[in-house]
Amino acid sequence: MFENQWMMSDQPDDDEESSVLVQTRPKTKRPPLYKVLLLNDDYTPMEFVVLVLERFFGMTHAQAFDIMLTVHKKGVAVVGVFSHEIAETKVGQVMDFARRHQHPLQCTMEREE
């Protein structure tokens, strides 16, 4: 008998009304992304550019070499797309590293359209 009562109390009563409240969230806008650009100059060695791309952008040697050639031939290349904070950090790291090694390598960022 006890077992039977327990099973009955486990089931919802038909008299109770259940309602679900649905709360709508305001649509959040994704934060803008920023392109990090490496600019060509006539003084920074190609090997140094490859090292920067491997070290700060996690590229393989082959990827870094291809991007370095693009920078060399076209004058500029996008080396990554990041949130504002990460892009800003990467630009700072590259510029710092270049200065410490006495290279005029330029790295900038611009908002992605």
Side-chain angles (χ1 to χ4, degrees):
M1 174 102 178
F2 177 76
E3 198 174 305
N4 203 9
Q5 286 176 346
W6 181 78
M7 287 175 60
M8 287 176 55
S9 65
D10 196 27
Q11 297 172 358
D13 292 338
D14 289 336
D15 295 346
E16 288 183 23
E17 287 185 28
S18 60
S19 60
V20 178
L21 292 176
V22 179
Q23 186 176 9
T24 58
R25 283 188 182 176
K27 288 194 178 190
T28 54
K29 198 169 155 185
R30 284 187 170 262
L33 294 175
Y34 290 79
K35 296 184 282 191
V36 175
L37 308 164
L38 218 48
L39 308 175
N40 188 41
D41 64 73
D42 294 332
Y43 304 101
T44 304
M46 292 179 176
E47 299 81 24
F48 184 78
V49 175
V50 169
L51 173 65
V52 163
L53 293 168
E54 291 171 346
R55 185 175 193 159
F56 298 106
F57 298 94
M59 295 183 186
T60 66
H61 187 75
Q63 291 169 323
F65 191 82
D66 286 345
I67 295 287
M68 176 276 298
L69 284 178
T70 301
V71 172
H72 181 69
K73 291 176 184 175
K74 295 187 176 182
V76 65
V78 175
V79 295
V81 179
F82 309 96
S83 69
H84 186 271
E85 292 78 16
I86 293 173
E88 201 170 48
T89 300
K90 298 244 183 225
V91 168
Q93 289 173 329
V94 170
M95 295 297 289
D96 245 16
F97 191 68
R99 264 186 254 117
R100 279 185 305 190
H101 290 85
Q102 299 176 344
H103 294 300
L105 182 65
Q106 292 295 302
C107 185
T108 62
M109 61 188 262
E110 66 181 41
R111 191 174 174 154
E112 190 175 48
E113 300 294 323

